[in-house]
Amino acid sequence: MDQHTTVAELIECLSACNPDAVVRLAVAPDFPFAHYLGAITEGHDEDGAEAIFLADGGQQYYLPHPVAVALSWVSDPTAPVPTRRRGRRSSPPQ
Protein backbone atom coordinates (compact mmCIF):
# COMPACT_ATOMS: atom_id res chain seq x y z
CA MET A 1 0.00 0.00 0.00
CA ASP A 2 1.24 3.44 -0.74
CA GLN A 3 0.93 6.71 1.13
CA HIS A 4 -2.33 7.54 -0.63
CA THR A 5 -4.34 4.35 -0.05
CA THR A 6 -8.07 4.93 -0.46
CA VAL A 7 -10.87 3.46 1.64
CA ALA A 8 -11.87 1.32 -1.37
CA GLU A 9 -8.30 -0.05 -1.68
CA LEU A 10 -8.16 -0.81 2.04
CA ILE A 11 -11.54 -2.59 1.90
CA GLU A 12 -10.37 -4.63 -1.10
CA CYS A 13 -7.17 -5.62 0.70
CA LEU A 14 -9.03 -6.52 3.89
CA SER A 15 -11.67 -8.52 2.01
CA ALA A 16 -9.04 -11.21 1.43
CA CYS A 17 -8.51 -11.57 5.20
CA ASN A 18 -10.36 -13.67 7.74
CA PRO A 19 -13.32 -11.47 8.80
CA ASP A 20 -13.07 -12.83 12.37
CA ALA A 21 -9.40 -11.87 12.78
CA VAL A 22 -8.57 -9.03 15.18
CA VAL A 23 -7.00 -5.83 13.85
CA ARG A 24 -3.64 -4.58 15.14
CA LEU A 25 -1.45 -1.68 14.08
CA ALA A 26 2.22 -2.42 13.45
CA VAL A 27 4.28 0.62 14.45
CA ALA A 28 7.88 1.76 14.90
CA PRO A 29 9.98 -0.31 12.47
CA ASP A 30 13.16 0.25 14.52
CA PHE A 31 11.49 -1.04 17.70
CA PRO A 32 8.40 -2.89 16.39
CA PHE A 33 5.31 -3.16 18.54
CA ALA A 34 1.72 -4.26 17.95
CA HIS A 35 -0.97 -1.78 18.98
CA TYR A 36 -4.73 -2.04 19.37
CA LEU A 37 -6.86 -0.13 16.89
CA GLY A 38 -8.55 2.84 18.53
CA ALA A 39 -11.20 5.22 17.27
CA ILE A 40 -11.85 5.73 13.56
CA THR A 41 -12.83 9.20 12.44
CA GLU A 42 -13.09 11.36 9.34
CA GLY A 43 -11.23 14.61 8.86
CA HIS A 44 -8.87 16.40 6.50
CA ASP A 45 -5.13 15.92 6.08
CA GLU A 46 -2.51 18.69 5.96
CA ASP A 47 -3.30 19.30 2.27
CA GLY A 48 -7.02 19.67 2.96
CA ALA A 49 -7.91 16.32 1.39
CA GLU A 50 -10.66 14.27 3.03
CA ALA A 51 -9.07 11.53 5.12
CA ILE A 52 -10.01 8.70 7.48
CA PHE A 53 -7.90 8.51 10.64
CA LEU A 54 -7.31 5.25 12.50
CA ALA A 55 -6.28 5.99 16.08
CA ASP A 56 -3.79 4.04 18.16
CA GLY A 57 -5.71 2.28 20.92
CA GLY A 58 -2.68 1.40 23.06
CA GLN A 59 0.28 -0.93 22.94
CA GLN A 60 -0.36 -4.64 23.09
CA TYR A 61 3.07 -6.34 22.84
CA TYR A 62 6.18 -6.66 20.72
CA LEU A 63 5.35 -7.23 17.09
CA PRO A 64 5.71 -10.96 16.28
CA HIS A 65 8.98 -11.54 14.45
CA PRO A 66 7.37 -13.19 11.38
CA VAL A 67 5.18 -10.09 10.98
CA ALA A 68 8.19 -7.76 11.18
CA VAL A 69 9.93 -9.93 8.55
CA ALA A 70 6.84 -9.84 6.29
CA LEU A 71 6.83 -6.02 6.57
CA SER A 72 10.57 -5.99 5.69
CA TRP A 73 11.30 -4.22 8.99
CA VAL A 74 13.84 -6.87 10.06
CA SER A 75 15.83 -9.48 8.21
CA ASP A 76 14.78 -13.10 8.22
CA PRO A 77 17.14 -15.04 10.52
CA THR A 78 16.40 -18.26 8.64
CA ALA A 79 17.79 -16.82 5.41
CA PRO A 80 21.36 -17.81 4.60
CA VAL A 81 23.90 -15.23 5.67
CA PRO A 82 26.07 -14.08 2.79
CA THR A 83 29.67 -15.02 3.35
CA ARG A 84 32.66 -13.05 2.26
CA ARG A 85 35.33 -14.87 0.40
CA ARG A 86 38.79 -14.34 1.76
CA GLY A 87 41.57 -13.71 -0.68
CA ARG A 88 44.89 -15.48 -0.44
CA ARG A 89 47.32 -13.85 1.86
CA SER A 90 50.45 -12.75 0.17
CA SER A 91 53.76 -13.48 1.81
CA PRO A 92 55.13 -10.57 3.81
CA PRO A 93 57.92 -8.69 2.02
CA GLN A 94 61.39 -9.84 2.98
Side-chain angles (χ1 to χ4, degrees), residues 5-22:
T5 301
T6 66
V7 170
E9 291 167 334
L10 180 59
I11 290 169
E12 182 180 339
C13 181
L14 291 174
S15 69
C17 300
N18 176 353
D20 296 321
V22 297

Side-chain angles (χ1 to χ4, degrees), residues 2-93:
D2 66 28
Q3 293 180 344
H4 302 288
T5 301
T6 66
V7 170
E9 291 167 334
L10 180 59
I11 290 169
E12 182 180 339
C13 181
L14 291 174
S15 69
C17 300
N18 176 353
D20 296 321
V22 297
V23 176
R24 297 289 180 262
L25 301 174
V27 299
D30 292 331
F31 200 58
F33 277 95
H35 286 242
Y36 298 107
L37 183 64
I40 300 172
T41 189
E42 296 180 59
H44 294 86
D45 68 11
E46 67 280 358
D47 296 326
E50 188 175 348
I52 306 301
F53 292 89
L54 310 176
D56 179 348
Q59 182 177 310
Q60 182 186 25
Y61 54 76
Y62 289 103
L63 191 66
H65 189 78
V67 175
V69 169
L71 293 170
S72 299
W73 288 2
V74 297
S75 60
D76 183 354
T78 62
V81 176
T83 56
R84 199 166 135 201
R85 212 175 207 181
R86 291 186 175 182
R88 290 178 79 185
R89 282 190 175 170
S90 56
S91 301

